[in-house]
């Protein structure tokens, strides 16, 4: 099949899980003999077209057009404020992507990743007649405390007009269904991880010791790792609020917060109050550094209030690290991490809105080092079985074929 991906993110421009997914799944599908073309955003310095590992990437760089479009803006759109510039570039990128898609087609299928690729995906369906899949990695109603009604409207329209919808967890399928999308139109396909890359055996003891020195950690310290955007939805503030109760039972506990975001100032202020028990790292972590941060940790904590999937949960599992995760509301982490009551536990589910519950979960994991290591081994075993890219690619391809055949 010739498959066109419309994704704002693709290496080297990766800002989160979407870019990692688009890169990994496209290479895996290409290895299965599919012809994958990715239409993504350029920055003027990257090559406009290149092919690597069977995937052809087309990069489009929009020219600023705000002056020409501004007279046509509605009051609703002007409410975007500084985001209007992003909106103009986004719409221009989608228009350029569809023009390039038409020039390099025809394609058997177009896949729009999140609402950012929907304008182009819907155009490809209408103008080029390509079957369209809307791949939902998250939804505006969950991402933002005050959702933008225009984005919400676009996401619902895209899900309604698309020939199929793929999402990243059963929790997300339930959310989409609750918004009126027919359940039989929605398929779930988990993301994966490269277990040979995210592996304890791939780490170097010297690098771990260097990190211990950098963060002034003693051998007996119990390291708790948080990796994620410093935004309200990731639950970093309730986690910091939980630390006094953790330290009461485990005075050697040290929390390592790794990430950037709008809450950085508040996180640093709270860390100062907690003294040397909290370290805040806002440096960008390359892949090797990220892996060694996981290896440094005794457990990971991801108390997200809204997490459609949670790639960090899979990465931690692959590194044999148990995890304490937010399991209320829409939580893909609840599907990644298995509670102590499960046959083969891998961590603990907590209420991310309750610092006391987060503290309880952390203390439970820290209470028994041998059990902690067993849960870590269970996590990697589950990761190897369920959360891997070959499996994700096979299941995704089956969905693509089903959607295409339903249009014939």
């Amino acid at each position: 099949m010739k498959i066109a991906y419309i994704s704002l993110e693709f290496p080297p421009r990766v800002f989160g899980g979407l870019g990692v997914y688009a890169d990994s799944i496209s290479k895996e599908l290409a290895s299965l003999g599919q012809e994958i073309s990715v239409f993504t955003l350029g920055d003027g310095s990257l090559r406009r077209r290149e092919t690597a590992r069977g995937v052809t990437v087309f990069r489009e760089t929009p020219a600023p057009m705000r002056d020409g479009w501004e007279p046509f803006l509605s009051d609703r759109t002007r409410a975007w404020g500084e985001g209007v510039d992003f909106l103009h570039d986004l719409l221009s990128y989608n228009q350029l992507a569809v023009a390039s898609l038409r020039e390099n087609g025809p394609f058997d299928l177009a896949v729009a990743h999140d609402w950012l690729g929907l304008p182009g995906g819907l155009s490809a369906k209408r103008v080029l007649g390509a079957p369209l899949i809307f791949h939902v990695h998250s939804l505006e109603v969950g991402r933002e405390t005050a959702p933008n009604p225009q984005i919400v409207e676009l996401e619902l329209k895209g899900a309604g007009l698309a020939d199929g919808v793929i999402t990243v967890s059963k929790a997300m399928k339930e959310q989409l269904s609750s918004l009126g999308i027919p359940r039989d139109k929605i398929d779930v396909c988990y993301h994966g991880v490269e277990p040979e890359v995210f592996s304890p055996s791939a780490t170097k003891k010297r690098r771990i010791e260097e990190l211990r020195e950098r963060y002034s950690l003693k051998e007996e310290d119990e390291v708790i790792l948080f990796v994620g955007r410093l935004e309200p939805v990731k639950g970093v503030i309730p986690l910091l609020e939980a630390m006094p109760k953790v330290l009461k039972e485990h005075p050697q506990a040290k929390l390592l917060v790794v990430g950037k975001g709008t809450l950085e100032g508040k996180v640093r202020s709270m860390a100062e109050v907690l003294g040397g028990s909290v370290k805040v790292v806002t440096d960008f972590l390359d892949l090797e550094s990220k892996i060694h941060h996981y290896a440094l940790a005794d457990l990971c904590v991801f108390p997200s209030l809204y997490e459609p999937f949670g790639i960090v949960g899979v990465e931690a599992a692959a590194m044999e690290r148990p995890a304490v995760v937010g399991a209320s509301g829409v939580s893909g982490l609840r599907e990644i991490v298995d509670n102590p009551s499960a046959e083969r536990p891998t961590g603990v589910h907590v209420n991310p809105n309750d610092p006391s519950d987060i503290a309880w979960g952390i203390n439970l994991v820290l209470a028994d080092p041998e059990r902690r290591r067993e849960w870590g081994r269970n996590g990697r075993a589950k990761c190897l079985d369920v959360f891997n890219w070959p499996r994700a690619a096979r299941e995704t391809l089956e969905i693509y074929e089903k959607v295409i055949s339903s249009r014939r």
Side-chain angles (χ1 to χ4, degrees):
M1 286 191 292
K2 287 190 66 175
I3 302 167
Y5 275 10
I6 305 173
S7 174
L8 192 72
E9 290 186 40
F10 199 79
R13 300 184 73 260
V14 174
F15 310 110
L18 172 56
V20 173
Y21 173 85
D23 180 34
S24 300
I25 199 69
S26 59
K27 288 186 291 191
E28 201 65 46
L29 287 169
S31 74
L32 295 177
Q34 309 308 307
E35 189 174 335
I36 310 296
S37 296
V38 181
F39 298 84
T40 190
L41 185 66
D43 62 3
S45 65
L46 298 168
R47 293 180 62 181
R48 287 196 62 192
R49 176 174 178 167
E50 62 182 343
T51 300
R53 295 183 64 177
V55 179
T56 301
V57 183
F58 299 87
R59 297 186 178 92
E60 303 297 339
T61 304
M65 297 189 68
R66 177 166 183 160
D67 291 339
W69 284 0
E70 201 162 29
F72 300 97
L73 298 181
S74 68
D75 291 339
R76 289 178 71 193
T77 307
R78 287 191 178 92
W80 286 51
E82 294 181 1
V84 168
D85 285 329
F86 169 74
L87 177 62
H88 287 156
D89 286 348
L90 180 72
L91 294 176
S92 295
Y93 148 69
N94 272 268
Q95 181 67 52
L96 291 168
V98 174
S100 181
L101 195 151
R102 174 160 44 189
E103 181 181 343
N104 293 281
F107 289 91
D108 299 301
L109 181 72
V111 182
H113 289 279
D114 271 351
W115 73 273
L116 301 161
L118 262 179
L122 291 169
S123 178
K125 175 179 171 64
R126 177 186 290 272
V127 178
L128 307 180
L132 172 66
I133 286 180
F134 178 24
H135 200 129
V136 181
H137 297 265
S138 67
L139 286 172
E140 177 73 2
V141 292
R143 287 188 298 265
E144 303 293 338
T145 52
N148 183 316
Q150 292 169 301
I151 297 176
V152 173
E153 184 178 339
L154 175 60
E155 288 175 332
L156 291 176
K157 182 174 184 178
L161 292 177
D163 297 284
V165 176
I166 296 179
T167 195
V168 294
S169 63
K170 296 173 184 176
M172 276 299 294
K173 179 171 182 174
E174 292 303 318
Q175 186 180 38
L176 284 162
S177 178
S178 73
L179 295 173
I181 308 305
R183 294 181 63 85
D184 60 0
K185 190 176 187 177
I186 309 166
D187 286 288
V188 173
C189 190
Y190 290 134
H191 290 192
V193 71
E194 295 183 52
E196 67 280 3
V197 175
F198 285 89
S199 170
S201 64
T203 61
K204 302 178 179 66
K205 186 176 181 180
R206 174 183 56 81
R207 289 293 308 273
I208 298 172
E209 290 306 314
E210 288 174 355
L211 289 177
R212 284 193 176 276
E213 292 179 13
R214 174 182 174 184
Y215 301 129
S216 302
L217 296 171
K218 301 175 183 177
E219 192 65 36
E220 62 270 22
D221 286 340
E222 298 169 308
V223 181
I224 304 163
L225 177 66
F226 168 93
V227 179
R229 291 180 293 113
L230 302 186
E231 301 293 344
V233 73
K234 295 298 182 179
V236 65
I237 299 303
L239 171 57
L240 288 164
E241 292 172 342
M243 282 305 295
K245 289 189 176 182
V246 173
L247 293 168
K248 187 175 181 179
E249 291 193 27
H250 298 275
Q252 293 300 123
K254 296 292 187 292
L255 173 63
L256 188 57
V257 176
V258 180
K260 296 183 179 182
T262 60
L263 292 177
E264 182 181 333
K266 186 172 183 178
V267 167
R268 289 193 180 280
S269 296
M270 294 179 72
E272 287 180 12
V273 173
L274 291 165
S277 61
V278 179
K279 315 285 184 180
V280 181
V281 184
T282 56
D283 300 336
F284 172 78
L285 299 184
D286 60 27
L287 180 60
E288 185 179 7
S289 182
K290 187 178 186 181
I291 290 167
H292 283 87
H293 276 75
Y294 281 122
L296 174 69
D298 291 290
L299 80 152
C300 298
V301 184
F302 310 121
S304 299
L305 283 68
Y306 175 82
E307 194 68 75
F309 181 67
I311 191 66
V312 287
V314 177
E315 291 173 348
M319 291 298 299
E320 294 189 3
R321 294 302 178 261
V324 173
V325 300
S328 299
V330 177
S331 173
L333 288 167
R334 187 170 60 236
E335 299 167 39
I336 295 169
V337 174
D338 292 330
N339 241 339
S341 60
E343 182 178 349
R344 301 191 69 186
T346 66
V348 183
H349 297 177
V350 296
N351 177 358
N353 298 288
D354 184 355
S356 295
D357 205 40
I358 296 172
W360 167 81
I362 293 172
N363 287 332
L364 179 63
V365 177
L366 292 179
D368 188 334
E370 181 50 44
R371 182 180 63 190
R372 185 171 70 220
R373 286 187 284 271
E374 179 187 351
W375 288 1
R377 291 190 293 270
N378 291 346
R380 180 165 174 83
K382 181 178 180 179
C383 189
L384 291 171
D385 182 41
V386 179
F387 303 112
N388 59 78
W389 290 118
R391 176 173 178 164
R394 290 193 302 271
E395 293 180 355
T396 300
L397 190 56
E398 289 175 4
I399 298 168
Y400 289 175
E401 291 170 343
K402 178 183 71 172
V403 169
I404 291 172
S405 63
S406 69
R407 283 282 303 270
R408 290 175 179 154

